[in-house]
Amino acid sequence: MIYLDNAATTKVFDCAIDAAIQSMRENYFNPNATYCGGVAVKRNIESHREAIAREIGAVGGRLYFTSGATEANNWAINFGRKNKKGNIVITAGEHSSVYEPAMRLKNGGTDVRIAKLSPDGTVDVNDIMRLVDIETALVSVIHTNNETGVVNPIAKITADIKSIAPRAFIHSDGVQAVLKTGDTIDGLGVDFYTVGGHKLGAPKGIGLLYVRNGVNISPMLAGGGQEYAMRSGTQNTPYIAAFAAAVQEFNRIANRNEILSLREKLVKIFEDNGCGIIGSGENSGYILCVHIPEVKAEILQNLAYDNGVVIGKGAACSGNKRGNRVLEAMGLSRTVAEQCIRISLCAGISDREAVEAAHIIVECANSIRSNHIG
């Protein structure tokens, strides 16, 4: 089986599995206990936090461990602003874990403004700047789009927004970007940044929210005061250990130039076979959104799976919803959006397997057309 749905989730690295098992077997004490065993586990957590911060370039802020990126995004959107009467600006390209909580706030009376996407998949920066004003309290701009892999210029956007709305906090969902764009989190200038572990070879159920030094955010979970009184609940020590191991391994084996080169090979295969590539903006290299004319993505996904290739048909969390909000915001019709597949790579993937998979996908698409079932 050739797995090309890494934007949905990655295979857990062996080193991450080993780290989690060791933690469960040996470091099982409650890290908040005051006896020696608990204190030692607490030290381990802090060591893992520091290691992750170094790897992702986030030493200029505090990392708070969460149950995943969805929790971290919800935390930032719901609690990441001082002025509760101020407006919030998000983009039409946000992941549902940013978009949906923002819509809840809008339904509750908050002034939520949505910036357009450009046809190339990037956010329309001019539209963001049109929507931002002195009363803007929070702006959220996804770093790398999870549908297309297109990278937004977060550092420039942040600087531009701060020049107009210096009191606004800036959040970026970096789930598909961290360790994949060449950017450090500190270098982006953002106030909040979200990372999800299972996109980087860690287990599902662990993530973090970066909060820049000097920035305050209200706790989302009240209770025992864990995570510096910001995220109560006994820490998931095995998964924190696995997260640290996975981030270090991903950084060790990832080679952006090789990923970008492989993506170009796949682009050529699909374009040579009459398919279109969605999102022409700068790409992380890890995601390829392909329009397969006259073939519904869901049918192609199932046939490809039967032929040994796993692909996505958009964000996995939106798999049961008709259409594609993000692709349609780029100007695609619903019909075209429903004919788009998402191929997503991982660090260390072999060119041979990915190229073989692309040819299998093309063959499956041709088979569907010839049988008139697309």
Side-chain angles (χ1 to χ4, degrees), residues 111-162:
D111 180 3
V112 176
R113 305 168 182 181
I114 303 175
K116 301 174 184 176
L117 297 186
S118 301
D120 69 357
T122 59
V123 63
D124 185 331
V125 178
N126 290 332
D127 201 42
I128 288 182
M129 303 314 296
R130 179 183 66 83
L131 296 174
V132 168
D133 58 35
I134 194 65
E135 297 301 321
T136 299
L138 177 68
V139 181
S140 185
V141 181
I142 195 167
H143 192 175
T144 295
N145 188 274
N146 56 295
E147 301 281 355
T148 64
V150 170
V151 181
N152 285 311
I154 299 299
K156 181 181 185 306
I157 291 171
T158 297
D160 289 349
I161 291 170
K162 293 285 189 179

Side-chain angles (χ1 to χ4, degrees), residues 24 59 99 158 204 226 234:
M24 285 186 276
V59 296
Y99 189 86
T158 297
K204 303 166 192 65
Q226 291 87 351
T234 303

Side-chain angles (χ1 to χ4, degrees), residues 198-230:
H198 75 106
K199 314 294 186 176
L200 297 167
K204 303 166 192 65
I206 187 69
L208 63 83
L209 180 67
Y210 162 94
V211 180
R212 185 169 59 83
N213 287 339
V215 172
N216 295 318
I217 187 171
S218 299
M220 185 166 72
L221 298 177
Q226 291 87 351
E227 287 297 286
Y228 300 91
M230 295 300 292

Side-chain angles (χ1 to χ4, degrees), residues 101-335:
M103 291 304 99
R104 283 192 178 188
L105 291 174
K106 181 180 179 68
N107 292 337
T110 301
D111 180 3
V112 176
R113 305 168 182 181
I114 303 175
K116 301 174 184 176
L117 297 186
S118 301
D120 69 357
T122 59
V123 63
D124 185 331
V125 178
N126 290 332
D127 201 42
I128 288 182
M129 303 314 296
R130 179 183 66 83
L131 296 174
V132 168
D133 58 35
I134 194 65
E135 297 301 321
T136 299
L138 177 68
V139 181
S140 185
V141 181
I142 195 167
H143 192 175
T144 295
N145 188 274
N146 56 295
E147 301 281 355
T148 64
V150 170
V151 181
N152 285 311
I154 299 299
K156 181 181 185 306
I157 291 171
T158 297
D160 289 349
I161 291 170
K162 293 285 189 179
S163 70
I164 294 176
R167 293 180 297 175
F169 287 144
I170 314 299
H171 165 256
S172 185
D173 173 356
V175 169
Q176 302 291 355
V178 70
L179 300 183
K180 299 176 182 179
T181 64
D183 295 318
T184 64
I185 296 176
D186 289 333
L188 298 173
V190 295
D191 301 295
F192 309 118
Y193 194 87
T194 300
V195 180
H198 75 106
K199 314 294 186 176
L200 297 167
K204 303 166 192 65
I206 187 69
L208 63 83
L209 180 67
Y210 162 94
V211 180
R212 185 169 59 83
N213 287 339
V215 172
N216 295 318
I217 187 171
S218 299
M220 185 166 72
L221 298 177
Q226 291 87 351
E227 287 297 286
Y228 300 91
M230 295 300 292
R231 200 274 185 184
S232 290
T234 303
Q235 297 92 327
N236 188 347
T237 50
Y239 279 20
I240 290 171
F243 195 2
V247 166
Q248 292 173 84
E249 178 67 4
F250 192 100
N251 220 5
R252 185 184 70 81
I253 67 175
N255 185 312
R256 188 162 186 239
N257 289 334
E258 290 180 358
I259 286 289
L260 288 168
S261 175
L262 174 55
R263 183 180 183 276
E264 287 307 306
K265 291 178 184 177
L266 301 182
V267 167
K268 186 174 189 310
I269 291 170
F270 287 113
E271 289 185 336
D272 286 350
N273 284 277
C275 303
I277 306 303
I278 307 302
S280 58
E282 178 190 350
N283 199 284
S284 70
Y286 285 84
I287 298 176
L288 180 63
C289 183
V290 186
H291 173 224
I292 313 286
E294 303 174 41
V295 177
K296 284 191 175 179
E298 185 173 2
I299 297 172
L300 178 55
Q301 182 186 49
N302 291 331
L303 186 58
Y305 188 92
D306 292 341
N307 283 269
V309 177
V310 181
I311 57 174
K313 59 180 184 69
C317 58
S318 302
N320 295 323
K321 297 179 181 178
R322 190 166 183 268
N324 186 302
R325 171 176 54 81
V326 173
L327 297 185
E328 290 174 37
M330 291 171 58
L332 276 65
S333 68
R334 174 161 291 188
T335 297

Side-chain angles (χ1 to χ4, degrees), residues 54-71:
R54 287 194 302 271
E55 295 291 330
I56 64 178
V59 296
R62 173 78 72 184
L63 307 185
Y64 298 107
F65 292 116
T66 65
S67 64
T70 289
E71 180 188 326

